[in-house]
Amino acid sequence: MSDKKHYKLTVNGQAVDVLAEPRELLIYTLREQLNITGPHIGCETSHCGACTVTIDGKSVKSCTMFVAQADGKDITTIEGLGSPDGLHPLQEAFKEHHGLQCGYCTPGMITRASKLLEENPNPTEEEIRFGMAGNICRCTGYQNIVKSIKAAAAEMNAAKEAAE
Amino acid sequence: MIPAAFEYHRPSDMSGVLAILQEHGDDARVMAGGHSLIPMMKLRMAEVPHLIDLQDVGGLSGIMVGDTITIGAMTTQADIIDNDALAAAAPIMREAALQIADPQVRYMGTVGGNVANGDPGNDMPGLMQCLDASFTVVGPDGERSIPARDFYEAAYMTAREDDEVLTAVSFAKPAGGYAYEKQKRKIGDYATAAAAVQIVKDGGTCVSAAIAMTNLSDTPVYSQAASAALVGTSVDEAAVKAAVAAMLGDIDPVEDNRGPVAFKRHVAGVILARAIERAWSRA
């Protein structure tokens, strides 16, 4: 009954073909089949947000999607946002403003924050806290995460203005 | 967490969905955003040998705003929040949707899934009862409409037959003041108690009211008695007290990790009083 099937995904701009049972959770496909280990498995129960990726323009907890549902979708993970040599402004800001301690929640935080800033490029502190409510951090107390996102927003807005 | 194996179906139209439901009966279930069903499957509290993903079925999402408001079953909570026409016509929808789960879940969770699942913790069923909504379901014998106030029979048991699919919710554009008030332990939690209230005011008098409560029984509770307690009054302290007392006669909470029965009844009273006061101030 549950034979493996081929699924076509676009992950960080690259077309990939995976062979998996439909019940495989997308986070496992990303981590174990594609070696994309940025998105983490935290609670695995849709609460913590460590597994957050962007799918067709929506922030999604990839522990709560079967790979079969993701067939044909465009997926962006933290690996698709920046690189060690060219950090995304959010990555740079988290580094500068101590937006992380252990770092476990950080890929999910930054991936979610990237979508938040796309929808609302100049959020207030309250909007940041509300928009990040699906991501849990057990280290920072959130203060520096909020600060980092605010700083990244300012940086990205300044860069956009300079480009215009 | 690994759910039990299943056959995955992604039909492109409703007749395809209905055909699979006909063929597999109880063994098949439809899934919208999956954010109620997938967690249950992961815990193996739900086993679904044939999973029917509705994402490719056209015509199931979208919001139509007129004298009647119709919302397609696959419309997400995020779509509800983003829709300015809906927020203007029925602001209680946005107010409630903003209190459901968290941003990621709201991108995926749908109105149809929320109302059809029959989970007493879901917020939309009580809200739909407050708004006196109707649910459209389609099955092998065609389409029919079921009032939200008659839809819920027990936890996860509804008036929808196994071979029917809920395709839309609709309700008359609400009048007057509104409030959706929810007490929860943390973001993403279900309500300890929640209240949906719509009140119409004429002069200084309440001429109609609708009150429904969430997660305080094994179904949402539309409290006719609480609604009636407000009508004809100036919604003063005595009227609010009477409405709360009437509501407490209609709910039947059970003890769980959100607290003992006495606490839940206390919270229900506080939440309803707040909701009535806020709705009245907006009427």
PDB file of all heavy atoms in Angstrom, chain A residues 127-140:
ATOM      1  N   GLU A 127       4.434  44.198  16.399  1.00  0.00           N
ATOM      2  CA  GLU A 127       4.186  43.397  15.191  1.00  0.00           C
ATOM      3  C   GLU A 127       5.227  42.290  15.034  1.00  0.00           C
ATOM      4  O   GLU A 127       4.915  41.192  14.563  1.00  0.00           O
ATOM      5  CB  GLU A 127       4.165  44.307  13.952  1.00  0.00           C
ATOM      6  CG  GLU A 127       2.895  45.155  13.870  1.00  0.00           C
ATOM      7  CD  GLU A 127       2.981  46.304  12.862  1.00  0.00           C
ATOM      8  OE1 GLU A 127       4.115  46.669  12.442  1.00  0.00           O
ATOM      9  OE2 GLU A 127       1.930  46.844  12.505  1.00  0.00           O
ATOM     10  N   ILE A 128       6.466  42.581  15.413  1.00  0.00           N
ATOM     11  CA  ILE A 128       7.503  41.543  15.349  1.00  0.00           C
ATOM     12  C   ILE A 128       7.155  40.413  16.318  1.00  0.00           C
ATOM     13  O   ILE A 128       7.177  39.238  15.963  1.00  0.00           O
ATOM     14  CB  ILE A 128       8.899  42.121  15.668  1.00  0.00           C
ATOM     15  CG1 ILE A 128       9.352  43.064  14.552  1.00  0.00           C
ATOM     16  CG2 ILE A 128       9.919  40.992  15.860  1.00  0.00           C
ATOM     17  CD1 ILE A 128      10.624  43.841  14.864  1.00  0.00           C
ATOM     18  N   ARG A 129       6.799  40.787  17.540  1.00  0.00           N
ATOM     19  CA  ARG A 129       6.491  39.752  18.534  1.00  0.00           C
ATOM     20  C   ARG A 129       5.289  38.918  18.104  1.00  0.00           C
ATOM     21  O   ARG A 129       5.282  37.699  18.258  1.00  0.00           O
ATOM     22  CB  ARG A 129       6.254  40.380  19.917  1.00  0.00           C
ATOM     23  CG  ARG A 129       7.556  40.889  20.541  1.00  0.00           C
ATOM     24  CD  ARG A 129       7.353  41.470  21.928  1.00  0.00           C
ATOM     25  NE  ARG A 129       8.596  41.993  22.457  1.00  0.00           N
ATOM     26  CZ  ARG A 129       9.496  41.271  23.140  1.00  0.00           C
ATOM     27  NH1 ARG A 129       9.266  39.998  23.371  1.00  0.00           N
ATOM     28  NH2 ARG A 129      10.616  41.815  23.571  1.00  0.00           N
ATOM     29  N   PHE A 130       4.282  39.566  17.542  1.00  0.00           N
ATOM     30  CA  PHE A 130       3.095  38.833  17.090  1.00  0.00           C
ATOM     31  C   PHE A 130       3.433  37.954  15.882  1.00  0.00           C
ATOM     32  O   PHE A 130       3.019  36.794  15.800  1.00  0.00           O
ATOM     33  CB  PHE A 130       1.973  39.822  16.735  1.00  0.00           C
ATOM     34  CG  PHE A 130       0.650  39.153  16.549  1.00  0.00           C
ATOM     35  CD1 PHE A 130      -0.086  38.737  17.651  1.00  0.00           C
ATOM     36  CD2 PHE A 130       0.140  38.921  15.278  1.00  0.00           C
ATOM     37  CE1 PHE A 130      -1.305  38.093  17.487  1.00  0.00           C
ATOM     38  CE2 PHE A 130      -1.082  38.285  15.101  1.00  0.00           C
ATOM     39  CZ  PHE A 130      -1.799  37.877  16.213  1.00  0.00           C
ATOM     40  N   GLY A 131       4.211  38.506  14.962  1.00  0.00           N
ATOM     41  CA  GLY A 131       4.562  37.775  13.734  1.00  0.00           C
ATOM     42  C   GLY A 131       5.538  36.638  13.966  1.00  0.00           C
ATOM     43  O   GLY A 131       5.662  35.742  13.134  1.00  0.00           O
ATOM     44  N   MET A 132       6.245  36.669  15.086  1.00  0.00           N
ATOM     45  CA  MET A 132       7.220  35.623  15.411  1.00  0.00           C
ATOM     46  C   MET A 132       6.684  34.660  16.465  1.00  0.00           C
ATOM     47  O   MET A 132       7.438  33.860  17.029  1.00  0.00           O
ATOM     48  CB  MET A 132       8.533  36.258  15.912  1.00  0.00           C
ATOM     49  CG  MET A 132       9.249  37.143  14.911  1.00  0.00           C
ATOM     50  SD  MET A 132       9.760  36.283  13.401  1.00  0.00           S
ATOM     51  CE  MET A 132      10.939  35.095  14.067  1.00  0.00           C
ATOM     52  N   ALA A 133       5.393  34.739  16.739  1.00  0.00           N
ATOM     53  CA  ALA A 133       4.826  33.984  17.859  1.00  0.00           C
ATOM     54  C   ALA A 133       4.849  32.473  17.637  1.00  0.00           C
ATOM     55  O   ALA A 133       4.670  31.707  18.586  1.00  0.00           O
ATOM     56  CB  ALA A 133       3.394  34.449  18.139  1.00  0.00           C
ATOM     57  N   GLY A 134       5.075  32.038  16.414  1.00  0.00           N
ATOM     58  CA  GLY A 134       5.131  30.597  16.152  1.00  0.00           C
ATOM     59  C   GLY A 134       6.526  30.020  16.280  1.00  0.00           C
ATOM     60  O   GLY A 134       6.748  28.873  15.913  1.00  0.00           O
ATOM     61  N   ASN A 135       7.468  30.816  16.767  1.00  0.00           N
ATOM     62  CA  ASN A 135       8.841  30.337  16.931  1.00  0.00           C
ATOM     63  C   ASN A 135       9.254  30.508  18.384  1.00  0.00           C
ATOM     64  O   ASN A 135       9.199  31.605  18.931  1.00  0.00           O
ATOM     65  CB  ASN A 135       9.802  31.126  16.031  1.00  0.00           C
ATOM     66  CG  ASN A 135       9.530  30.876  14.567  1.00  0.00           C
ATOM     67  OD1 ASN A 135       8.537  31.346  14.018  1.00  0.00           O
ATOM     68  ND2 ASN A 135      10.392  30.111  13.944  1.00  0.00           N
ATOM     69  N   ILE A 136       9.701  29.420  18.973  1.00  0.00           N
ATOM     70  CA  ILE A 136      10.056  29.446  20.397  1.00  0.00           C
ATOM     71  C   ILE A 136      11.577  29.418  20.545  1.00  0.00           C
ATOM     72  O   ILE A 136      12.269  28.669  19.849  1.00  0.00           O
ATOM     73  CB  ILE A 136       9.413  28.240  21.117  1.00  0.00           C
ATOM     74  CG1 ILE A 136       7.889  28.392  21.102  1.00  0.00           C
ATOM     75  CG2 ILE A 136       9.912  28.144  22.552  1.00  0.00           C
ATOM     76  CD1 ILE A 136       7.155  27.179  21.643  1.00  0.00           C
ATOM     77  N   CYS A 137      12.083  30.257  21.440  1.00  0.00           N
ATOM     78  CA  CYS A 137      13.505  30.276  21.789  1.00  0.00           C
ATOM     79  C   CYS A 137      13.614  30.072  23.294  1.00  0.00           C
ATOM     80  O   CYS A 137      12.923  30.747  24.046  1.00  0.00           O
ATOM     81  CB  CYS A 137      14.117  31.615  21.405  1.00  0.00           C
ATOM     82  SG  CYS A 137      15.804  31.822  22.017  1.00  0.00           S
ATOM     83  N   ARG A 138      14.459  29.143  23.711  1.00  0.00           N
ATOM     84  CA  ARG A 138      14.585  28.881  25.145  1.00  0.00           C
ATOM     85  C   ARG A 138      15.797  29.582  25.749  1.00  0.00           C
ATOM     86  O   ARG A 138      16.068  29.442  26.923  1.00  0.00           O
ATOM     87  CB  ARG A 138      14.684  27.368  25.404  1.00  0.00           C
ATOM     88  CG  ARG A 138      13.430  26.605  25.042  1.00  0.00           C
ATOM     89  CD  ARG A 138      12.312  26.801  26.061  1.00  0.00           C
ATOM     90  NE  ARG A 138      11.478  27.939  25.745  1.00  0.00           N
ATOM     91  CZ  ARG A 138      10.163  27.979  25.811  1.00  0.00           C
ATOM     92  NH1 ARG A 138       9.488  26.933  26.190  1.00  0.00           N
ATOM     93  NH2 ARG A 138       9.492  29.063  25.533  1.00  0.00           N
ATOM     94  N   CYS A 139      16.572  30.309  24.927  1.00  0.00           N
ATOM     95  CA  CYS A 139      17.779  30.942  25.466  1.00  0.00           C
ATOM     96  C   CYS A 139      17.623  32.453  25.660  1.00  0.00           C
ATOM     97  O   CYS A 139      17.870  32.972  26.731  1.00  0.00           O
ATOM     98  CB  CYS A 139      18.967  30.755  24.526  1.00  0.00           C
ATOM     99  SG  CYS A 139      19.424  29.070  24.155  1.00  0.00           S
ATOM    100  N   THR A 140      17.232  33.136  24.624  1.00  0.00           N
ATOM    101  CA  THR A 140      17.492  34.577  24.580  1.00  0.00           C
ATOM    102  C   THR A 140      16.513  35.433  25.350  1.00  0.00           C
ATOM    103  O   THR A 140      16.795  36.592  25.608  1.00  0.00           O
ATOM    104  CB  THR A 140      17.453  35.094  23.136  1.00  0.00           C
ATOM    105  OG1 THR A 140      16.145  34.845  22.613  1.00  0.00           O
ATOM    106  CG2 THR A 140      18.484  34.429  22.262  1.00  0.00           C
TER     107      THR A 140
END
